[in-house]
Amino acid sequence: TVSVLYWKNTTMKKATVFGGGAFGTALAFMLAKNGFAVSLWHPNQAECDAANAAGENLHGLKGAKFPEFGGRRALHFSSDLETCISNAPEVVIFAVPMQRLRKFVVDRRDRMCATLQSAKIAVIACKGIEKGTSKLAYTVLEEAVGDVGLVRARAVVIAGPTFARELAEFKPTSFTVAAHDATLARTAQRLLSTADGQFRGYASTDVIAVEVASAVKNVVAIAAGMVDGMGYGRNARAAVITQGLYEIALVSRTMGGVFGGVLTMAGVGDVMLTASSKLSRNFQVGRELAQGVDLKAAKKNRNAVSEGVPTCEAVVQLGRKLGLTLPLCEAVYSVLKVEKTPQQALAAIRGLDSAPLCDE
């Protein structure tokens, strides 16, 4: 029998993932392959017990068996924070839903600060923009921790074409890791990449571009899903994706990122994957909306959070604050608010007098 508590005593490197959903679990698989014993914090103890007993995440990534090394399981679920951080993890990953990140950290601020101080890197895997404040995850973490210097010394953002299922199946995957400090970004690249190149990180210092891309791509995916659901074809979907990439680049540049930052794994790479695959939760939400399913039912059909729905409102609010014209994001928002049908929203984009791409 494999001990689910072995990681407390193992000499393997330690890592902790906050958030036991599909993506958090998949990132734990990636860390395990790189020699880490990983504890995953998840708020539901009954689901933690079920995962530990079955050796797989039954509520988020069913069928993907936890990795084992030398007869020892590399992952352990727990709803007890102290259990998850008691061994001073070297790597910490924040993979809770974006709209819950601030409260999660604020409610545990002292322990979060202590954990960050002892860790080598803290990886932000939350994707989206905070509703109400229009702030990106890195800024939310800075404010929630209350120590900007500590966050800047530890935090990196990860994004890229990383479907959880394929990560858990150890299929070749590339991603971007970004930090304000180049040395920290390189450290994260080394800790998260595998020697065989199966998991390959690319270091960046353009935190804003990476965060904007990882957030807005989910909105683009909803739009692309609507196109697919209406049977408009690949030409229309490519046009929608191109418009989405432009809006990502525009928001990024206006916020201080590099306009060309979209040409990364976090930008083009993630958008191409998320906005063109039926494995994408956000793409599927868009398809169902186009086929007449209401938003509440479409969201209920997903086992995990479709971040594009809350992010869409947040990015529209952000665009308006910045004085930007974001027709694709506005169109998706009008559908989510039931002000327009998907057909009307996409027709409005096609009816623009001039394509925004021509303005550059």
Side-chain angles (χ1 to χ4, degrees), residues 220 224 236-246 248 271-272 275-276 328:
V220 179
R237 186 171 66 190
V240 162
I241 291 173
T242 303
Q243 175 65 34
L245 287 168
Y246 172 80
I248 289 171
V271 172
M272 285 180 63
S276 62
L328 185 67

Side-chain angles (χ1 to χ4, degrees), residues 130-329:
E130 189 177 50
K131 291 174 63 176
T133 67
S134 300
K135 292 179 178 179
L136 299 168
Y138 197 104
T139 301
V140 171
L141 185 62
E142 286 181 330
E143 294 178 356
V145 169
D147 186 337
V148 173
L150 176 58
V151 173
R152 295 270 171 142
R154 298 288 187 274
V156 302
V157 177
I158 186 171
T162 50
F163 275 165
R165 178 67 58 179
E166 295 190 5
L167 273 172
E169 292 173 351
F170 299 122
K171 292 184 176 178
T173 300
S174 297
F175 51 88
T176 301
V177 282
H180 290 288
D181 176 74
T183 300
L184 179 59
R186 293 291 184 190
T187 298
Q189 178 188 33
R190 176 179 55 80
L191 289 170
L192 300 177
S193 299
T194 54
D196 60 5
Q198 198 167 36
F199 296 140
R200 173 71 162 86
Y202 291 85
S204 170
T205 55
D206 197 349
V207 173
I208 291 175
V210 170
E211 284 205 280
V212 170
S214 68
V216 183
K217 60 97 179 182
N218 287 324
V219 181
V220 179
I222 294 175
M226 290 193 297
V227 168
D228 190 73
M230 290 183 285
Y232 282 3
R234 295 178 179 85
N235 293 346
R237 186 171 66 190
V240 162
I241 291 173
T242 303
Q243 175 65 34
L245 287 168
Y246 172 80
E247 294 183 19
I248 289 171
L250 185 60
V251 172
S252 172
R253 185 187 63 178
T254 305
M255 295 184 70
V258 178
F259 192 81
V262 73
L263 302 175
T264 62
M265 291 295 170
V268 172
D270 207 357
V271 172
M272 285 180 63
L273 180 70
T274 311
S276 62
S277 173
K278 293 180 181 178
L279 291 176
S280 163
R281 297 189 297 270
N282 295 286
F283 184 87
Q284 287 287 41
V285 166
R287 288 187 82 250
E288 292 182 11
L289 290 173
Q291 293 167 353
V293 179
D294 65 59
L295 179 59
K296 185 177 181 179
K299 290 167 64 178
K300 189 175 181 179
N301 290 340
R302 313 275 81 75
N303 289 327
V305 177
S306 298
E307 290 282 12
V309 175
T311 294
C312 187
E313 178 182 351
V315 74
V316 165
Q317 292 173 345
L318 176 61
R320 291 172 182 174
K321 287 180 182 178
L322 297 173
L324 301 176
T325 300
L326 305 174
L328 185 67
C329 293

Side-chain angles (χ1 to χ4, degrees), residues 16-19 41 80-82 84-86 89 92-96 100-119 121-123 141-142 144-147 150-151 154:
T16 295
V17 178
F18 299 121
W41 177 89
D80 181 62
L81 184 71
E82 291 303 319
C84 292
I85 62 177
S86 60
V92 175
I93 295 182
F94 292 93
V96 296
R100 302 176 195 169
L101 175 61
R102 186 184 295 274
K103 178 173 173 51
F104 172 77
V105 176
V106 168
D107 287 351
R108 306 160 177 84
R109 179 174 286 160
D110 290 344
R111 296 301 290 129
M112 289 294 108
C113 287
T115 301
L116 291 182
Q117 287 169 350
S118 63
I121 60 169
V123 182
L141 185 62
E142 286 181 330
V145 169
D147 186 337
L150 176 58
V151 173
R154 298 288 187 274

